[in-house]
């Protein structure tokens, strides 16, 4: 199908009349000028991105420095992870993965010759638990863990090391101790902020009989992703960055110990992974010049207003909603669907981010776009409506990818390594058809040209990663593990 400019005048060309050809590529020619005009604030120039990079770099340096960290919005937490896997990790490990609507328990075995075996199970964390009492959340986790251990006949006479991926901003003071700074994404449980999350987990586990394990590490999903990528590439590549673009957005990177002023661990080792928590970038107003009215609305109606401003422009929890708010606003101005809107389209959260991926995956005939719009209760959009909706999706996802690229370029320039592999995980990166391409292109434009990098999908970073961090932590002590006291 070639979409001709003269079609712009036609209100509703029938889809069946169109000449469909293979390899349809989206053509913005029929997108109406007023929609293009309204979407302009979503398009970021390299100049704007370069300014953002400077601010982000300052924010990261502020987070790393002892004196300025308390007032920094980008916290740059030290993770106490100083060693990447080297292939000698052996044994069975339990892992917990909490960070979204699903909670996972995993049993992982690492053996000779890169042997890897994993059993895992997904449990729901219902919304009432996500926003209820902290004790109930941890009791739920312990209950799921107990069910899993029973079902998988885990030997209770042996103490298993456990890695806990807890994907929220955690002020760590050791590999097994960390205080929650604030909840992000859809969580807001009472009584957890400023508490040691490992202690809360241990207390919940203690209440259950028959669980014989030792929490040997708590980590973030970005750290897990970096570790999992380092393990997968068999330690031969410089996996120095872990990136998550999923429900939330965050990155970690390998920093020299002397630059991490708050690090009080083993300074005989040269590096430590820093969990930037860059989702909070902009909470001091640094993103004001590129914030749209839709971003403001999303923020105001969120569980954590004023917080995670960078994340709210990027991640899967918010992207679909940005598109929906844009559609509703433009339809109310009669620029879409002749002003007709459905109840679904007017419902907060009804336009999932996966719809953006579906729409942008359209190969021909706006089949997917039509399907999505039908699902959203818009039954007879015109061809131009479809092109306009797709254009809105493209602008929102492009902005997201470009913002992440600016952040990545800051990290690459900062580390200044000749060649870096970036481990990436998260539903947006996984399922959006062009996210990878958009990020690679833009990061190349923004990073120092002498730095080579590649991005690789890190299989199951938050699950494998937890086991790997636990495994590295006990690497040299494994023979002793059988004798250690349980939590
Ligand atoms: C949020 C969390 C962060 C996590 C990210 C991706 O930004 O604060 O810890 O890494 O989501 O899940």
């Amino acid at each position: 199908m070639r979409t001709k400019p003269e079609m712009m005048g036609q209100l509703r060309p029938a889809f069946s009349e169109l000449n469909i050809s293979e390899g349809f590529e989206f053509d913005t020619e029929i997108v109406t000028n007023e929609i293009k005009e309204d979407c302009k604030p979503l398009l970021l120039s390299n100049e704007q991105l370069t300014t953002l990079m400077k601010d982000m770099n300052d924010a990261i340096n502020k987070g790393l420095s002892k004196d300025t960290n308390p007032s920094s919005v980008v916290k740059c937490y030290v993770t106490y992870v100083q060693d990447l896997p080297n292939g000698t990790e052996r044994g069975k490990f339990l892992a917990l993965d909490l960070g979204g609507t699903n909670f996972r328990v995993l049993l992982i075995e690492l053996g000779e010759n890169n042997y890897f075996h994993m059993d895992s199970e997904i449990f729901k964390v219902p919304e009432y638990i996500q926003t209820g009492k902290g004790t109930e959340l941890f009791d739920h986790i312990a209950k799921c863990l107990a069910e899993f251990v029973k079902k998988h006949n885990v030997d209770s006479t042996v103490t298993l090391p456990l890695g806990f991926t807890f994907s929220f901003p955690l002020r760590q003071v050791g590999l097994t101790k960390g205080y929650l700074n604030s909840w992000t994404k859809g969580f807001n449980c009472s009584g957890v902020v400023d508490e040691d999350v490992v202690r809360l987990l241990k207390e919940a586990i203690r209440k259950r009989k028959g669980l014989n394990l030792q929490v040997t590490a708590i980590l973030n999903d970005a750290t897990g992703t970096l570790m999992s990528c380092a393990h997968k590439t068999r330690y031969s590549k410089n996996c120095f960055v872990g990136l998550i673009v999923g429900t939330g957005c965050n990155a970690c990177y390998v920093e020299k110990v002397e630059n991490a002023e708050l690090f009080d661990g083993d300074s005989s080792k040269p590096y430590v992974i820093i969990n930037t928590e860059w989702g909070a970038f902009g909470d001091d107003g640094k993103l004001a010049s590129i914030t749209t009215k839709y971003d403001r609305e999303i923020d105001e109606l969120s569980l954590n207003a004023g917080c995670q401003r960078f994340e709210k422009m990027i991640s899967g929890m918010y992207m679909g909603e940005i598109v929906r708010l844009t559609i509703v606003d433009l339809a109310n101005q009669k620029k879409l669907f002749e002003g007709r809107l459905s109840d679904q389209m007017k419902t907060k959260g009804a336009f999932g981010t996966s719809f953006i991926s579906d729409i942008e995956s359209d190969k021909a005939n706006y089949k997917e776009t039509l399907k999505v719009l039908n699902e959203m209760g818009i039954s007879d959009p015109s061809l131009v409506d479809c092109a306009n909706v797709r254009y809105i999706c493209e602008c929102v996802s492009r902005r997201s990818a470009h913002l992440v690229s600016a952040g990545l370029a800051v990290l690459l320039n900062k580390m200044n390594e000749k060649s870096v592999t970036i481990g990436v995980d998260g539903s947006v990166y996984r399922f959006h058809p062009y996210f990878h391409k958009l990020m690679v292109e833009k990061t190349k434009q923004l990073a120092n040209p002498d730095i080579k990098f590649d991005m690789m999908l890190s299989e199951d970073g938050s699950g494998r990663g937890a086991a790997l961090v636990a495994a590295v932590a006990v690497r040299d002590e494994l023979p002793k593990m059988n004798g250690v006291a349980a939590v």
Side-chain angles (χ1 to χ4, degrees):
M1 172 172 72
R2 292 315 298 164
T3 43
K4 301 253 166 34
E6 55 269 28
M7 277 181 181
M8 280 176 70
Q10 280 176 247
L11 257 180
R12 298 187 176 279
F15 281 88
S16 55
E17 287 166 17
L18 295 168
N19 176 21
I20 313 303
S21 62
E22 283 296 315
F24 167 75
E25 272 188 23
F26 181 56
D27 189 338
T28 55
E29 276 175 340
I30 65 166
V31 174
T32 51
N33 285 334
E34 47 186 354
I35 298 285
K36 283 187 186 163
E37 197 52 39
D38 285 323
C39 286
K40 266 194 183 149
L42 291 165
L43 306 176
L44 301 177
S45 64
N46 278 6
E47 206 186 329
Q48 286 171 302
L49 291 169
T50 311
T51 306
L52 186 149
M53 281 173 63
K54 195 193 153 294
D55 290 340
M56 167 82 90
N57 191 51
D58 290 348
I60 291 178
N61 287 337
K62 211 172 155 187
L64 288 172
S65 140
K66 212 177 206 153
D67 293 340
T68 49
N69 175 279
S71 63
S72 175
V73 289
V74 177
K75 286 297 182 194
C76 289
Y77 295 114
V78 285
T79 63
Y80 293 84
V81 178
Q82 293 191 272
D83 299 301
L84 299 184
N86 64 12
T88 63
E89 300 78 20
R90 301 279 178 273
K92 281 190 177 177
F93 304 89
L94 278 166
L96 302 180
D97 175 15
L98 179 78
T101 44
N102 290 330
F103 160 68
R104 283 190 321 154
V105 184
L106 306 97
L107 179 65
I108 288 173
E109 191 174 353
L110 302 169
E112 300 285 325
N113 303 321
N114 243 26
Y115 174 81
F116 181 92
H117 180 78
M118 177 168 96
D119 287 317
S120 73
E121 219 156 305
I122 295 181
F123 300 86
K124 279 253 162 276
V125 184
E127 213 183 310
Y128 74 91
I129 290 189
Q130 286 183 42
T131 53
K133 278 193 193 154
T135 42
E136 280 167 16
L137 171 71
F138 287 96
D139 286 347
H140 179 68
I141 292 176
K143 182 173 152 263
C144 300
L145 181 58
E147 267 176 38
F148 178 91
V149 162
K150 194 167 169 214
K151 187 166 164 193
H152 293 266
N153 297 320
V154 177
D155 182 357
S156 64
T157 63
V158 176
T159 305
L160 285 189
L162 178 141
F164 182 20
T165 303
F166 181 77
S167 304
F168 300 96
L170 200 67
R171 184 168 51 81
Q172 281 190 245
V173 294
L175 195 54
T176 56
K177 203 176 178 102
Y179 298 89
L180 177 65
N181 185 55
S182 54
W183 285 110
T184 52
K185 300 175 279 193
F187 280 70
N188 195 15
C189 299
S190 60
V192 189
V193 169
D194 289 335
E195 295 296 327
D196 174 12
V197 171
V198 176
R199 181 182 63 79
L200 296 178
L201 174 69
K202 284 180 177 177
E203 274 170 16
I205 290 175
R206 227 176 260 137
K207 286 192 231 160
R208 302 215 150 243
K209 303 268 168 299
L211 284 175
N212 189 8
L213 47 92
Q214 191 195 28
V215 183
T216 48
I218 185 159
L219 62 142
N220 183 266
D221 50 356
T223 307
T225 294
L226 189 156
M227 293 295 271
S228 151
C229 162
H231 187 248
K232 191 168 169 192
T233 55
R234 303 197 182 186
Y235 347 105
S236 60
K237 289 194 175 178
N238 299 337
C239 285
F240 289 159
V241 177
L243 169 71
I244 305 286
V245 197
T247 309
C249 178
N250 189 19
C252 69
Y253 73 103
V254 173
E255 180 58 280
K256 294 190 189 80
V257 158
E258 67 255 30
N259 293 339
E261 289 185 11
L262 287 156
F263 181 63
D264 56 359
D266 184 352
S267 55
S268 67
K269 292 181 180 168
Y271 298 105
V272 63
I273 295 179
I274 296 291
N275 167 20
T276 65
E277 286 291 334
W278 75 14
F281 176 61
D283 292 0
D284 54 356
K286 284 285 181 329
L287 289 170
S289 66
I290 60 164
T291 302
T292 65
K293 56 180 173 178
Y294 310 120
D295 297 316
R296 271 191 290 277
E297 193 170 339
I298 296 237
D299 179 51
E300 279 157 19
L301 297 178
S302 67
L303 279 178
N304 53 351
C307 302
Q308 302 292 106
R309 304 301 295 262
F310 190 56
E311 173 165 88
K312 285 173 181 164
M313 290 180 167
I314 295 171
S315 76
M317 179 146 175
Y318 310 98
M319 257 212 275
E321 184 65 2
I322 301 176
V323 168
R324 190 191 68 82
L325 289 174
T326 313
I327 291 177
V328 169
D329 185 35
L330 298 179
N332 283 336
Q333 298 174 47
K334 306 248 178 324
K335 294 173 182 170
L336 275 175
F337 316 130
E338 296 169 331
R340 286 168 296 116
L341 275 174
S342 60
D343 285 346
Q344 284 105 301
M345 202 53 113
K346 289 190 223 156
T347 306
K348 184 178 174 222
F351 193 100
T353 295
S354 62
F355 284 163
I356 300 181
S357 298
D358 293 347
I359 289 174
E360 289 191 49
S361 303
D362 245 351
K363 288 277 183 289
N365 204 8
Y366 291 107
K367 209 171 137 209
E368 292 300 322
T369 307
L370 274 173
K371 212 162 110 193
V372 168
L373 289 176
N374 286 345
E375 243 176 85
M376 289 298 298
I378 309 280
S379 52
D380 55 348
S382 69
L383 174 68
V384 175
D385 282 333
C386 288
N388 284 340
V389 166
R390 171 155 176 156
Y391 184 72
I392 294 167
C393 289
E394 287 209 330
C395 291
V396 171
S397 58
R398 191 169 287 254
R399 182 182 70 155
S400 162
H402 289 173
L403 288 171
V404 179
S405 308
L408 284 178
V410 169
L411 298 184
L412 292 173
N413 291 352
K414 197 167 175 37
M415 289 187 298
N416 202 21
E417 292 284 333
K418 276 200 189 104
S419 153
V420 174
T421 296
I422 301 165
V424 196
D425 207 344
S427 50
V428 173
Y429 179 77
R430 253 170 212 277
F431 301 122
H432 185 280
Y434 313 116
F435 213 83
H436 172 85
K437 190 167 158 255
L438 288 168
M439 276 203 319
V440 171
E441 257 170 33
K442 194 49 83 179
T443 309
K444 264 192 194 141
Q445 289 170 22
L446 297 174
N448 175 343
D450 301 335
I451 301 173
K452 288 204 178 64
F453 67 90
D454 59 2
M455 292 184 199
M456 77 175 236
L457 180 68
S458 153
E459 286 298 332
D460 194 14
S462 34
R464 260 170 217 248
L468 285 165
V469 175
V472 170
V474 299
R475 195 162 54 199
D476 308 320
E477 302 173 30
L478 263 185
K480 292 185 229 152
M481 279 307 290
N482 286 0
V484 296
V487 282

